[in-house]
Amino acid sequence: MIRIIVLLVLMLASTCTFAQTSPQKTFGQKMELPDSRDIGTQVLRMSESFLGTPYVAGTLEGNPTERLVCKFDGLDCTTLVESSIALAISKTENPSYEGYKNELTKLRYREGNIDGYASRLHYILDWLYENQKRGRLEDITAKVGGVPFKKEINFMSNHANLYPAMAETEVWEKIREQENIINSREYSYIPKAGIQKTEPMLHDGDIVAFTSSVEGLDVNHMGIITKVGSRAYLIHASLTGKKVIMSNVPLAEYVASVPKHTGMIVARLNDN
């Protein structure tokens, strides 16, 4: 009986240890991927290392207090992009788990500070703006054929019932204030009909976000570009595919197949 109890305790301890160390172990494995001097190629390699990883919706939601979530075993479209970028940057600049978490925090939170739910960059337009401001990437949409993107962004404040954290009036007010700031800026996008013409100008590792036909919403989905000749394909955490996949058709055909996608925005990482 005592032996059985000891075995159970050891098994429990082993399970707890694995749960605590598995993200660090996975991080270590990804740091062993081949180096590239080109940050876009590095981002692409990191995204490819997630192929087959299960799709999990809302991976950042549901915590009683806002905290940094580092998850490698289940991803949504945004966390795939953020994780791939943070891993690539970490490998180049600080190949430690703490370095990875530091970059992930800077990518995900305004000014790199976790200060409640409203400090997270919920809208991709805001995410792109803030990460361009700190020099991590450049929104190149206008350079590759983009036209003005004009839309009133207010989905979160108008659908607060979908976001438990926004039950607090103070949080709702902060989100609404940020929507007003987002709406004060100018943006570009490439309409569906122009995407195939843009494909030859895209590079491996470019970040693409797909503008939405949903009222008040900026972007439906995002992913990472991989080039096959002059055509571009998408690596993304797919809701319909239920895992991280590479699109089986080129980018223009993929976007055309999704009615709620109206076009795309393109960003390119900077080599620092």
Side-chain angles (χ1 to χ4, degrees), residues 213-250:
S213 64
V214 176
E215 185 177 353
L217 187 62
D218 58 342
V219 163
N220 295 316
H221 191 54
M222 67 190 310
I224 295 167
I225 291 298
T226 181
K227 293 297 292 290
V228 180
S230 64
R231 301 305 306 267
Y233 288 74
L234 184 69
I235 293 179
H236 60 132
S238 169
L239 172 61
T240 54
K242 299 181 180 179
K243 60 185 177 182
V244 177
I245 61 173
M246 175 179 160
S247 61
N248 57 9
V249 295

PDB file of all heavy atoms in Angstrom, residues 213-250:
ATOM      1  N   SER A 213     -15.733  41.930 -43.565  1.00  0.00           N
ATOM      2  CA  SER A 213     -17.023  42.501 -43.955  1.00  0.00           C
ATOM      3  C   SER A 213     -17.953  42.654 -42.754  1.00  0.00           C
ATOM      4  O   SER A 213     -19.034  43.239 -42.868  1.00  0.00           O
ATOM      5  CB  SER A 213     -17.701  41.611 -45.002  1.00  0.00           C
ATOM      6  OG  SER A 213     -18.015  40.338 -44.447  1.00  0.00           O
ATOM      7  N   VAL A 214     -17.540  42.152 -41.596  1.00  0.00           N
ATOM      8  CA  VAL A 214     -18.359  42.235 -40.386  1.00  0.00           C
ATOM      9  C   VAL A 214     -18.358  43.682 -39.882  1.00  0.00           C
ATOM     10  O   VAL A 214     -17.299  44.308 -39.734  1.00  0.00           O
ATOM     11  CB  VAL A 214     -17.823  41.295 -39.293  1.00  0.00           C
ATOM     12  CG1 VAL A 214     -18.625  41.451 -37.998  1.00  0.00           C
ATOM     13  CG2 VAL A 214     -17.858  39.845 -39.779  1.00  0.00           C
ATOM     14  N   GLU A 215     -19.522  44.203 -39.614  1.00  0.00           N
ATOM     15  CA  GLU A 215     -19.645  45.592 -39.172  1.00  0.00           C
ATOM     16  C   GLU A 215     -18.835  45.844 -37.901  1.00  0.00           C
ATOM     17  O   GLU A 215     -18.948  45.110 -36.915  1.00  0.00           O
ATOM     18  CB  GLU A 215     -21.115  45.938 -38.921  1.00  0.00           C
ATOM     19  CG  GLU A 215     -21.343  47.401 -38.584  1.00  0.00           C
ATOM     20  CD  GLU A 215     -22.813  47.744 -38.421  1.00  0.00           C
ATOM     21  OE1 GLU A 215     -23.663  46.870 -38.698  1.00  0.00           O
ATOM     22  OE2 GLU A 215     -23.108  48.889 -38.027  1.00  0.00           O
ATOM     23  N   GLY A 216     -18.005  46.885 -37.930  1.00  0.00           N
ATOM     24  CA  GLY A 216     -17.238  47.298 -36.759  1.00  0.00           C
ATOM     25  C   GLY A 216     -15.945  46.545 -36.532  1.00  0.00           C
ATOM     26  O   GLY A 216     -15.170  46.902 -35.643  1.00  0.00           O
ATOM     27  N   LEU A 217     -15.687  45.489 -37.313  1.00  0.00           N
ATOM     28  CA  LEU A 217     -14.509  44.647 -37.106  1.00  0.00           C
ATOM     29  C   LEU A 217     -13.450  44.955 -38.154  1.00  0.00           C
ATOM     30  O   LEU A 217     -13.764  45.104 -39.337  1.00  0.00           O
ATOM     31  CB  LEU A 217     -14.906  43.173 -37.164  1.00  0.00           C
ATOM     32  CG  LEU A 217     -13.823  42.141 -36.799  1.00  0.00           C
ATOM     33  CD1 LEU A 217     -13.370  42.318 -35.354  1.00  0.00           C
ATOM     34  CD2 LEU A 217     -14.341  40.717 -37.035  1.00  0.00           C
ATOM     35  N   ASP A 218     -12.186  45.044 -37.714  1.00  0.00           N
ATOM     36  CA  ASP A 218     -11.113  45.361 -38.660  1.00  0.00           C
ATOM     37  C   ASP A 218     -10.665  44.151 -39.455  1.00  0.00           C
ATOM     38  O   ASP A 218     -10.577  44.171 -40.676  1.00  0.00           O
ATOM     39  CB  ASP A 218      -9.933  46.015 -37.931  1.00  0.00           C
ATOM     40  CG  ASP A 218      -9.353  45.162 -36.804  1.00  0.00           C
ATOM     41  OD1 ASP A 218     -10.029  44.219 -36.334  1.00  0.00           O
ATOM     42  OD2 ASP A 218      -8.215  45.456 -36.359  1.00  0.00           O
ATOM     43  N   VAL A 219     -10.380  43.055 -38.752  1.00  0.00           N
ATOM     44  CA  VAL A 219      -9.733  41.895 -39.369  1.00  0.00           C
ATOM     45  C   VAL A 219     -10.380  40.612 -38.886  1.00  0.00           C
ATOM     46  O   VAL A 219     -10.691  40.473 -37.695  1.00  0.00           O
ATOM     47  CB  VAL A 219      -8.221  41.908 -39.024  1.00  0.00           C
ATOM     48  CG1 VAL A 219      -7.572  40.564 -39.256  1.00  0.00           C
ATOM     49  CG2 VAL A 219      -7.507  43.000 -39.812  1.00  0.00           C
ATOM     50  N   ASN A 220     -10.576  39.665 -39.804  1.00  0.00           N
ATOM     51  CA  ASN A 220     -11.123  38.352 -39.439  1.00  0.00           C
ATOM     52  C   ASN A 220     -10.051  37.353 -39.024  1.00  0.00           C
ATOM     53  O   ASN A 220     -10.286  36.492 -38.162  1.00  0.00           O
ATOM     54  CB  ASN A 220     -11.828  37.710 -40.651  1.00  0.00           C
ATOM     55  CG  ASN A 220     -13.040  38.461 -41.110  1.00  0.00           C
ATOM     56  OD1 ASN A 220     -13.856  38.902 -40.311  1.00  0.00           O
ATOM     57  ND2 ASN A 220     -13.166  38.610 -42.428  1.00  0.00           N
ATOM     58  N   HIS A 221      -8.874  37.434 -39.666  1.00  0.00           N
ATOM     59  CA  HIS A 221      -7.931  36.322 -39.614  1.00  0.00           C
ATOM     60  C   HIS A 221      -6.558  36.837 -40.010  1.00  0.00           C
ATOM     61  O   HIS A 221      -6.439  37.897 -40.652  1.00  0.00           O
ATOM     62  CB  HIS A 221      -8.413  35.243 -40.594  1.00  0.00           C
ATOM     63  CG  HIS A 221      -7.711  33.921 -40.500  1.00  0.00           C
ATOM     64  ND1 HIS A 221      -7.593  33.218 -39.319  1.00  0.00           N
ATOM     65  CD2 HIS A 221      -7.100  33.158 -41.458  1.00  0.00           C
ATOM     66  CE1 HIS A 221      -6.954  32.081 -39.555  1.00  0.00           C
ATOM     67  NE2 HIS A 221      -6.636  32.027 -40.846  1.00  0.00           N
ATOM     68  N   MET A 222      -5.501  36.097 -39.661  1.00  0.00           N
ATOM     69  CA  MET A 222      -4.157  36.479 -40.076  1.00  0.00           C
ATOM     70  C   MET A 222      -3.277  35.246 -40.197  1.00  0.00           C
ATOM     71  O   MET A 222      -3.621  34.171 -39.710  1.00  0.00           O
ATOM     72  CB  MET A 222      -3.553  37.509 -39.113  1.00  0.00           C
ATOM     73  CG  MET A 222      -3.273  37.008 -37.722  1.00  0.00           C
ATOM     74  SD  MET A 222      -2.829  38.336 -36.543  1.00  0.00           S
ATOM     75  CE  MET A 222      -1.549  39.256 -37.393  1.00  0.00           C
ATOM     76  N   GLY A 223      -2.147  35.419 -40.873  1.00  0.00           N
ATOM     77  CA  GLY A 223      -1.234  34.301 -41.058  1.00  0.00           C
ATOM     78  C   GLY A 223       0.099  34.783 -41.606  1.00  0.00           C
ATOM     79  O   GLY A 223       0.390  35.982 -41.644  1.00  0.00           O
ATOM     80  N   ILE A 224       0.915  33.817 -42.053  1.00  0.00           N
ATOM     81  CA  ILE A 224       2.290  34.078 -42.477  1.00  0.00           C
ATOM     82  C   ILE A 224       2.484  33.549 -43.893  1.00  0.00           C
ATOM     83  O   ILE A 224       2.028  32.449 -44.220  1.00  0.00           O
ATOM     84  CB  ILE A 224       3.278  33.421 -41.490  1.00  0.00           C
ATOM     85  CG1 ILE A 224       3.144  34.097 -40.113  1.00  0.00           C
ATOM     86  CG2 ILE A 224       4.715  33.503 -41.992  1.00  0.00           C
ATOM     87  CD1 ILE A 224       3.820  33.364 -38.987  1.00  0.00           C
ATOM     88  N   ILE A 225       3.187  34.328 -44.707  1.00  0.00           N
ATOM     89  CA  ILE A 225       3.369  33.999 -46.123  1.00  0.00           C
ATOM     90  C   ILE A 225       4.553  33.050 -46.330  1.00  0.00           C
ATOM     91  O   ILE A 225       5.617  33.225 -45.740  1.00  0.00           O
ATOM     92  CB  ILE A 225       3.591  35.284 -46.947  1.00  0.00           C
ATOM     93  CG1 ILE A 225       2.315  36.125 -46.999  1.00  0.00           C
ATOM     94  CG2 ILE A 225       4.095  34.962 -48.357  1.00  0.00           C
ATOM     95  CD1 ILE A 225       1.140  35.434 -47.662  1.00  0.00           C
ATOM     96  N   THR A 226       4.339  32.075 -47.209  1.00  0.00           N
ATOM     97  CA  THR A 226       5.431  31.269 -47.749  1.00  0.00           C
ATOM     98  C   THR A 226       5.306  31.299 -49.267  1.00  0.00           C
ATOM     99  O   THR A 226       4.212  31.146 -49.811  1.00  0.00           O
ATOM    100  CB  THR A 226       5.400  29.822 -47.206  1.00  0.00           C
ATOM    101  OG1 THR A 226       6.503  29.084 -47.756  1.00  0.00           O
ATOM    102  CG2 THR A 226       4.103  29.093 -47.542  1.00  0.00           C
ATOM    103  N   LYS A 227       6.418  31.541 -49.942  1.00  0.00           N
ATOM    104  CA  LYS A 227       6.398  31.699 -51.401  1.00  0.00           C
ATOM    105  C   LYS A 227       6.716  30.378 -52.106  1.00  0.00           C
ATOM    106  O   LYS A 227       7.607  29.641 -51.689  1.00  0.00           O
ATOM    107  CB  LYS A 227       7.410  32.765 -51.839  1.00  0.00           C
ATOM    108  CG  LYS A 227       7.084  34.178 -51.394  1.00  0.00           C
ATOM    109  CD  LYS A 227       5.788  34.719 -51.969  1.00  0.00           C
ATOM    110  CE  LYS A 227       5.833  34.951 -53.471  1.00  0.00           C
ATOM    111  NZ  LYS A 227       6.687  36.085 -53.892  1.00  0.00           N
ATOM    112  N   VAL A 228       5.987  30.121 -53.171  1.00  0.00           N
ATOM    113  CA  VAL A 228       6.264  29.008 -54.079  1.00  0.00           C
ATOM    114  C   VAL A 228       6.321  29.622 -55.473  1.00  0.00           C
ATOM    115  O   VAL A 228       5.281  29.904 -56.078  1.00  0.00           O
ATOM    116  CB  VAL A 228       5.189  27.910 -53.999  1.00  0.00           C
ATOM    117  CG1 VAL A 228       5.530  26.774 -54.960  1.00  0.00           C
ATOM    118  CG2 VAL A 228       5.042  27.385 -52.568  1.00  0.00           C
ATOM    119  N   GLY A 229       7.535  29.871 -55.953  1.00  0.00           N
ATOM    120  CA  GLY A 229       7.683  30.626 -57.181  1.00  0.00           C
ATOM    121  C   GLY A 229       7.173  32.043 -56.974  1.00  0.00           C
ATOM    122  O   GLY A 229       7.486  32.689 -55.968  1.00  0.00           O
ATOM    123  N   SER A 230       6.361  32.522 -57.908  1.00  0.00           N
ATOM    124  CA  SER A 230       5.815  33.873 -57.780  1.00  0.00           C
ATOM    125  C   SER A 230       4.518  33.908 -56.980  1.00  0.00           C
ATOM    126  O   SER A 230       4.013  34.984 -56.665  1.00  0.00           O
ATOM    127  CB  SER A 230       5.560  34.475 -59.170  1.00  0.00           C
ATOM    128  OG  SER A 230       4.558  33.727 -59.843  1.00  0.00           O
ATOM    129  N   ARG A 231       3.989  32.731 -56.647  1.00  0.00           N
ATOM    130  CA  ARG A 231       2.737  32.667 -55.889  1.00  0.00           C
ATOM    131  C   ARG A 231       3.004  32.640 -54.389  1.00  0.00           C
ATOM    132  O   ARG A 231       4.042  32.156 -53.925  1.00  0.00           O
ATOM    133  CB  ARG A 231       1.902  31.442 -56.285  1.00  0.00           C
ATOM    134  CG  ARG A 231       1.495  31.341 -57.728  1.00  0.00           C
ATOM    135  CD  ARG A 231       0.745  32.544 -58.269  1.00  0.00           C
ATOM    136  NE  ARG A 231      -0.433  32.956 -57.533  1.00  0.00           N
ATOM    137  CZ  ARG A 231      -1.679  32.558 -57.798  1.00  0.00           C
ATOM    138  NH1 ARG A 231      -1.907  31.703 -58.782  1.00  0.00           N
ATOM    139  NH2 ARG A 231      -2.695  33.027 -57.109  1.00  0.00           N
ATOM    140  N   ALA A 232       2.065  33.166 -53.644  1.00  0.00           N
ATOM    141  CA  ALA A 232       2.148  33.180 -52.183  1.00  0.00           C
ATOM    142  C   ALA A 232       1.119  32.220 -51.605  1.00  0.00           C
ATOM    143  O   ALA A 232      -0.014  32.142 -52.090  1.00  0.00           O
ATOM    144  CB  ALA A 232       1.901  34.592 -51.660  1.00  0.00           C
ATOM    145  N   TYR A 233       1.527  31.508 -50.569  1.00  0.00           N
ATOM    146  CA  TYR A 233       0.627  30.617 -49.840  1.00  0.00           C
ATOM    147  C   TYR A 233       0.605  31.053 -48.382  1.00  0.00           C
ATOM    148  O   TYR A 233       1.472  31.798 -47.927  1.00  0.00           O
ATOM    149  CB  TYR A 233       1.076  29.162 -49.967  1.00  0.00           C
ATOM    150  CG  TYR A 233       0.848  28.564 -51.345  1.00  0.00           C
ATOM    151  CD1 TYR A 233       1.662  28.918 -52.420  1.00  0.00           C
ATOM    152  CD2 TYR A 233      -0.194  27.667 -51.574  1.00  0.00           C
ATOM    153  CE1 TYR A 233       1.452  28.389 -53.685  1.00  0.00           C
ATOM    154  CE2 TYR A 233      -0.421  27.128 -52.843  1.00  0.00           C
ATOM    155  CZ  TYR A 233       0.410  27.493 -53.884  1.00  0.00           C
ATOM    156  OH  TYR A 233       0.191  26.966 -55.134  1.00  0.00           O
ATOM    157  N   LEU A 234      -0.397  30.581 -47.653  1.00  0.00           N
ATOM    158  CA  LEU A 234      -0.628  31.036 -46.287  1.00  0.00           C
ATOM    159  C   LEU A 234      -0.408  29.911 -45.286  1.00  0.00           C
ATOM    160  O   LEU A 234      -0.988  28.827 -45.416  1.00  0.00           O
ATOM    161  CB  LEU A 234      -2.070  31.542 -46.151  1.00  0.00           C
ATOM    162  CG  LEU A 234      -2.468  32.136 -44.807  1.00  0.00           C
ATOM    163  CD1 LEU A 234      -1.751  33.472 -44.587  1.00  0.00           C
ATOM    164  CD2 LEU A 234      -3.984  32.325 -44.730  1.00  0.00           C
ATOM    165  N   ILE A 235       0.429  30.180 -44.285  1.00  0.00           N
ATOM    166  CA  ILE A 235       0.514  29.306 -43.115  1.00  0.00           C
ATOM    167  C   ILE A 235      -0.318  29.956 -42.028  1.00  0.00           C
ATOM    168  O   ILE A 235      -0.095  31.115 -41.669  1.00  0.00           O
ATOM    169  CB  ILE A 235       1.971  29.096 -42.668  1.00  0.00           C
ATOM    170  CG1 ILE A 235       2.734  28.308 -43.741  1.00  0.00           C
ATOM    171  CG2 ILE A 235       2.022  28.363 -41.327  1.00  0.00           C
ATOM    172  CD1 ILE A 235       4.178  28.059 -43.419  1.00  0.00           C
ATOM    173  N   HIS A 236      -1.302  29.219 -41.512  1.00  0.00           N
ATOM    174  CA  HIS A 236      -2.219  29.821 -40.547  1.00  0.00           C
ATOM    175  C   HIS A 236      -2.834  28.757 -39.644  1.00  0.00           C
ATOM    176  O   HIS A 236      -2.887  27.569 -39.990  1.00  0.00           O
ATOM    177  CB  HIS A 236      -3.317  30.608 -41.276  1.00  0.00           C
ATOM    178  CG  HIS A 236      -4.168  29.786 -42.208  1.00  0.00           C
ATOM    179  ND1 HIS A 236      -5.545  29.847 -42.208  1.00  0.00           N
ATOM    180  CD2 HIS A 236      -3.863  28.883 -43.168  1.00  0.00           C
ATOM    181  CE1 HIS A 236      -6.037  29.035 -43.132  1.00  0.00           C
ATOM    182  NE2 HIS A 236      -5.035  28.442 -43.731  1.00  0.00           N
ATOM    183  N   ALA A 237      -3.289  29.203 -38.492  1.00  0.00           N
ATOM    184  CA  ALA A 237      -4.053  28.342 -37.578  1.00  0.00           C
ATOM    185  C   ALA A 237      -5.497  28.384 -38.065  1.00  0.00           C
ATOM    186  O   ALA A 237      -6.175  29.397 -37.933  1.00  0.00           O
ATOM    187  CB  ALA A 237      -3.934  28.836 -36.149  1.00  0.00           C
ATOM    188  N   SER A 238      -5.945  27.285 -38.638  1.00  0.00           N
ATOM    189  CA  SER A 238      -7.216  27.249 -39.352  1.00  0.00           C
ATOM    190  C   SER A 238      -8.337  26.687 -38.488  1.00  0.00           C
ATOM    191  O   SER A 238      -8.224  25.576 -37.966  1.00  0.00           O
ATOM    192  CB  SER A 238      -7.064  26.387 -40.609  1.00  0.00           C
ATOM    193  OG  SER A 238      -8.306  26.120 -41.205  1.00  0.00           O
ATOM    194  N   LEU A 239      -9.408  27.463 -38.373  1.00  0.00           N
ATOM    195  CA  LEU A 239     -10.591  26.998 -37.643  1.00  0.00           C
ATOM    196  C   LEU A 239     -11.210  25.807 -38.360  1.00  0.00           C
ATOM    197  O   LEU A 239     -11.567  24.809 -37.735  1.00  0.00           O
ATOM    198  CB  LEU A 239     -11.607  28.132 -37.515  1.00  0.00           C
ATOM    199  CG  LEU A 239     -12.982  27.772 -36.939  1.00  0.00           C
ATOM    200  CD1 LEU A 239     -12.849  27.226 -35.528  1.00  0.00           C
ATOM    201  CD2 LEU A 239     -13.902  28.986 -36.961  1.00  0.00           C
ATOM    202  N   THR A 240     -11.340  25.887 -39.683  1.00  0.00           N
ATOM    203  CA  THR A 240     -11.964  24.789 -40.428  1.00  0.00           C
ATOM    204  C   THR A 240     -11.045  23.574 -40.490  1.00  0.00           C
ATOM    205  O   THR A 240     -11.508  22.434 -40.422  1.00  0.00           O
ATOM    206  CB  THR A 240     -12.330  25.233 -41.858  1.00  0.00           C
ATOM    207  OG1 THR A 240     -11.165  25.769 -42.496  1.00  0.00           O
ATOM    208  CG2 THR A 240     -13.401  26.309 -41.831  1.00  0.00           C
ATOM    209  N   GLY A 241      -9.732  23.806 -40.616  1.00  0.00           N
ATOM    210  CA  GLY A 241      -8.786  22.691 -40.638  1.00  0.00           C
ATOM    211  C   GLY A 241      -8.475  22.128 -39.273  1.00  0.00           C
ATOM    212  O   GLY A 241      -7.890  21.052 -39.149  1.00  0.00           O
ATOM    213  N   LYS A 242      -8.828  22.896 -38.220  1.00  0.00           N
ATOM    214  CA  LYS A 242      -8.649  22.490 -36.822  1.00  0.00           C
ATOM    215  C   LYS A 242      -7.182  22.304 -36.420  1.00  0.00           C
ATOM    216  O   LYS A 242      -6.884  21.640 -35.434  1.00  0.00           O
ATOM    217  CB  LYS A 242      -9.448  21.221 -36.502  1.00  0.00           C
ATOM    218  CG  LYS A 242     -10.948  21.412 -36.700  1.00  0.00           C
ATOM    219  CD  LYS A 242     -11.723  20.153 -36.364  1.00  0.00           C
ATOM    220  CE  LYS A 242     -13.221  20.376 -36.572  1.00  0.00           C
ATOM    221  NZ  LYS A 242     -14.016  19.158 -36.285  1.00  0.00           N
ATOM    222  N   LYS A 243      -6.284  22.917 -37.185  1.00  0.00           N
ATOM    223  CA  LYS A 243      -4.856  22.851 -36.864  1.00  0.00           C
ATOM    224  C   LYS A 243      -4.110  23.893 -37.685  1.00  0.00           C
ATOM    225  O   LYS A 243      -4.702  24.562 -38.541  1.00  0.00           O
ATOM    226  CB  LYS A 243      -4.304  21.449 -37.142  1.00  0.00           C
ATOM    227  CG  LYS A 243      -4.432  21.008 -38.582  1.00  0.00           C
ATOM    228  CD  LYS A 243      -3.973  19.561 -38.767  1.00  0.00           C
ATOM    229  CE  LYS A 243      -4.178  19.096 -40.204  1.00  0.00           C
ATOM    230  NZ  LYS A 243      -3.770  17.678 -40.380  1.00  0.00           N
ATOM    231  N   VAL A 244      -2.823  24.011 -37.433  1.00  0.00           N
ATOM    232  CA  VAL A 244      -1.978  24.906 -38.233  1.00  0.00           C
ATOM    233  C   VAL A 244      -1.683  24.205 -39.549  1.00  0.00           C
ATOM    234  O   VAL A 244      -1.190  23.078 -39.571  1.00  0.00           O
ATOM    235  CB  VAL A 244      -0.674  25.252 -37.497  1.00  0.00           C
ATOM    236  CG1 VAL A 244       0.215  26.127 -38.384  1.00  0.00           C
ATOM    237  CG2 VAL A 244      -0.965  25.961 -36.183  1.00  0.00           C
ATOM    238  N   ILE A 245      -1.988  24.886 -40.659  1.00  0.00           N
ATOM    239  CA  ILE A 245      -1.842  24.288 -41.982  1.00  0.00           C
ATOM    240  C   ILE A 245      -1.232  25.294 -42.946  1.00  0.00           C
ATOM    241  O   ILE A 245      -1.177  26.488 -42.672  1.00  0.00           O
ATOM    242  CB  ILE A 245      -3.195  23.818 -42.558  1.00  0.00           C
ATOM    243  CG1 ILE A 245      -4.164  25.004 -42.715  1.00  0.00           C
ATOM    244  CG2 ILE A 245      -3.809  22.720 -41.692  1.00  0.00           C
ATOM    245  CD1 ILE A 245      -5.461  24.658 -43.443  1.00  0.00           C
ATOM    246  N   MET A 246      -0.797  24.783 -44.090  1.00  0.00           N
ATOM    247  CA  MET A 246      -0.467  25.634 -45.238  1.00  0.00           C
ATOM    248  C   MET A 246      -1.629  25.534 -46.203  1.00  0.00           C
ATOM    249  O   MET A 246      -2.125  24.434 -46.482  1.00  0.00           O
ATOM    250  CB  MET A 246       0.823  25.153 -45.896  1.00  0.00           C
ATOM    251  CG  MET A 246       1.191  25.903 -47.167  1.00  0.00           C
ATOM    252  SD  MET A 246       2.753  25.294 -47.859  1.00  0.00           S
ATOM    253  CE  MET A 246       2.618  25.877 -49.551  1.00  0.00           C
ATOM    254  N   SER A 247      -2.086  26.679 -46.691  1.00  0.00           N
ATOM    255  CA  SER A 247      -3.230  26.670 -47.598  1.00  0.00           C
ATOM    256  C   SER A 247      -2.924  25.801 -48.823  1.00  0.00           C
ATOM    257  O   SER A 247      -1.797  25.785 -49.319  1.00  0.00           O
ATOM    258  CB  SER A 247      -3.573  28.097 -48.044  1.00  0.00           C
ATOM    259  OG  SER A 247      -2.483  28.689 -48.730  1.00  0.00           O
ATOM    260  N   ASN A 248      -3.937  25.091 -49.301  1.00  0.00           N
ATOM    261  CA  ASN A 248      -3.723  24.212 -50.461  1.00  0.00           C
ATOM    262  C   ASN A 248      -3.933  24.933 -51.790  1.00  0.00           C
ATOM    263  O   ASN A 248      -3.796  24.328 -52.846  1.00  0.00           O
ATOM    264  CB  ASN A 248      -4.614  22.969 -50.377  1.00  0.00           C
ATOM    265  CG  ASN A 248      -6.091  23.308 -50.279  1.00  0.00           C
ATOM    266  OD1 ASN A 248      -6.472  24.474 -50.442  1.00  0.00           O
ATOM    267  ND2 ASN A 248      -6.909  22.322 -50.002  1.00  0.00           N
ATOM    268  N   VAL A 249      -4.258  26.213 -51.719  1.00  0.00           N
ATOM    269  CA  VAL A 249      -4.366  27.054 -52.921  1.00  0.00           C
ATOM    270  C   VAL A 249      -3.608  28.343 -52.659  1.00  0.00           C
ATOM    271  O   VAL A 249      -3.392  28.735 -51.502  1.00  0.00           O
ATOM    272  CB  VAL A 249      -5.842  27.361 -53.278  1.00  0.00           C
ATOM    273  CG1 VAL A 249      -6.575  26.091 -53.664  1.00  0.00           C
ATOM    274  CG2 VAL A 249      -6.541  28.078 -52.131  1.00  0.00           C
ATOM    275  N   PRO A 250      -3.172  29.046 -53.717  1.00  0.00           N
ATOM    276  CA  PRO A 250      -2.475  30.317 -53.504  1.00  0.00           C
ATOM    277  C   PRO A 250      -3.349  31.341 -52.783  1.00  0.00           C
ATOM    278  O   PRO A 250      -4.577  31.209 -52.696  1.00  0.00           O
ATOM    279  CB  PRO A 250      -2.136  30.769 -54.930  1.00  0.00           C
ATOM    280  CG  PRO A 250      -2.105  29.514 -55.737  1.00  0.00           C
ATOM    281  CD  PRO A 250      -3.186  28.655 -55.137  1.00  0.00           C
TER     282      PRO A 250
END
